[in-house]
Amino acid sequence: MSPNLSIVVPAYNEAARLGKSLRDIVAYLQQQRELGEVIVVDDGSMDNTAEVAEENLADSGPVDTRVIRYELNRGKGYAARTGLLAARANIALFSDADLSTPITETAKLVKPIRDGECDLVFGSRALDRRLIGVHQSWRREQGGRLFNLIVRLATGLPFWDTQCGFKAFRMNVCRPLIEAAQIDRFGFDVELIYLAHLARLRLREVPVRWDHNTGGALDASGNYSRDSLRMINEVRRIRRSADAGEYSEAISAARTAAMVEQKQLLSRASMSGS
């Protein structure tokens, strides 16, 4: 039987933090008493991330597990897309490897999709900052706010946090957009949300708990100005590609899939009410 929920964890040099996160994810899925799947994508790590993943997923009981590994580092966006496209469940969630958003927040994202209300739901640190327990550095937090303001101005998106690493997708609707996405690194979140917005999918930004866990790729870089500039350039690239019609076929396919999905939901609701 196919799983009801796939959880995708892109990971790059995460050997030190990944084991506990995977144990927490598996324990959560086991507590839900439903068929679940965990997919770790090792994005060309230089440490033993893949081995740590395999070791900590070895005794997962009824939870299906997979570790996907490739040799060259391609970027978080590429890794997340690889995992999402490998997911067997129709609802797939990707989470940062450090679980800065606890896996127990999953229901906030998954329930609106299961209830037929949304196609893409993503966690937000901006909507209710009282839920932030451990903050990022002041410089990085202010940089994130500035970046999201630039995203809003450049794309017209009405959302306040596109970068939180906790997002859930209705895969039969979102798959064409994920397949067509081009951004391999940190701007991939903006790309997917923007394409879903252009396809007029049902999107929702929801407040989630957040405890910053140091040691990720941006922390390791330490050059926030350079990384922010790269992300801004990726947003420009997304706009250029959209204006050039490079995503048009995928947007049309996602919109059609969403219309079919909504008709099926209405039909089922009508039959249950008759």
Side-chain angles (χ1 to χ4, degrees), residues 5-211:
L5 174 65
S6 296
I7 296 180
V8 174
V9 183
Y12 175 65
N13 291 346
E14 289 285 0
R17 305 189 295 182
L18 186 59
K20 181 182 183 305
S21 295
L22 294 179
R23 292 193 298 273
D24 288 348
I25 292 171
V26 169
Y28 172 81
L29 289 173
Q30 290 173 339
Q31 290 168 5
Q32 303 310 300
R33 296 186 177 180
E34 64 178 8
L35 293 176
E37 175 183 50
V38 180
I39 301 172
V40 176
V41 182
D42 179 2
D43 184 28
S45 296
M46 295 180 287
D47 63 7
N48 62 328
T49 289
E51 290 79 3
V52 168
E54 290 168 352
E55 178 182 341
N56 284 275
L57 293 175
D59 186 18
S60 299
V63 178
D64 289 338
T65 63
R66 272 183 288 169
V67 178
I68 299 172
R69 188 177 191 279
Y70 41 84
E71 292 298 324
L72 295 177
N73 173 246
R74 302 291 299 270
K76 182 180 176 183
Y78 184 91
R81 291 199 308 272
T82 297
L84 290 170
L85 293 175
R88 294 191 299 125
N90 192 39
I91 299 178
L93 176 145
F94 86 76
S95 169
D96 284 347
D98 61 6
L99 291 189
S100 288
T101 296
I103 199 63
T104 50
E105 297 287 89
T106 294
K108 290 183 179 180
L109 275 62
V110 170
K111 188 175 185 299
I113 299 177
R114 284 188 173 155
D115 290 347
E117 300 170 1
C118 299
D119 302 305
L120 193 167
V121 184
F122 49 100
S124 173
R125 298 157 293 188
L127 294 182
D128 188 352
R129 294 193 178 274
R130 294 172 299 178
L131 296 177
I132 301 177
V134 179
H135 286 257
Q136 302 173 81
S137 68
W138 182 88
R139 183 181 179 187
R140 183 167 165 185
E141 196 164 90
Q142 297 307 310
R145 291 184 181 185
L146 177 60
F147 176 73
N148 276 286
L149 177 60
I150 291 170
V151 168
R152 286 169 62 90
L153 293 173
T155 64
L157 288 171
F159 308 115
W160 289 103
D161 185 4
T162 57
Q163 300 307 110
C164 179
F166 205 66
K167 294 179 174 66
F169 303 80
R170 186 188 302 278
M171 289 302 298
N172 64 330
V173 172
C174 295
R175 182 176 294 274
L177 305 179
I178 298 169
E179 291 175 339
Q182 304 173 3
I183 302 299
D184 287 343
R185 299 200 178 269
F186 291 107
F188 80 100
D189 302 81
V190 177
E191 182 180 34
L192 291 178
I193 293 172
Y194 184 52
L195 294 185
H197 175 72
L198 292 178
R200 298 198 291 273
L201 303 188
R202 296 167 299 170
L203 312 183
R204 184 177 297 177
E205 179 181 18
V206 299
V208 293
R209 291 170 53 203
W210 174 271
D211 289 298

Side-chain angles (χ1 to χ4, degrees), residues 119 170 172-174 199-202 251-268:
D119 302 305
R170 186 188 302 278
N172 64 330
V173 172
C174 295
R200 298 198 291 273
L201 303 188
R202 296 167 299 170
I251 290 170
S252 178
R255 187 177 300 161
T256 299
M259 292 172 61
V260 171
E261 178 73 24
Q262 291 177 47
K263 286 181 180 178
Q264 291 175 344
L265 288 172
L266 289 173
S267 177
R268 287 196 291 267

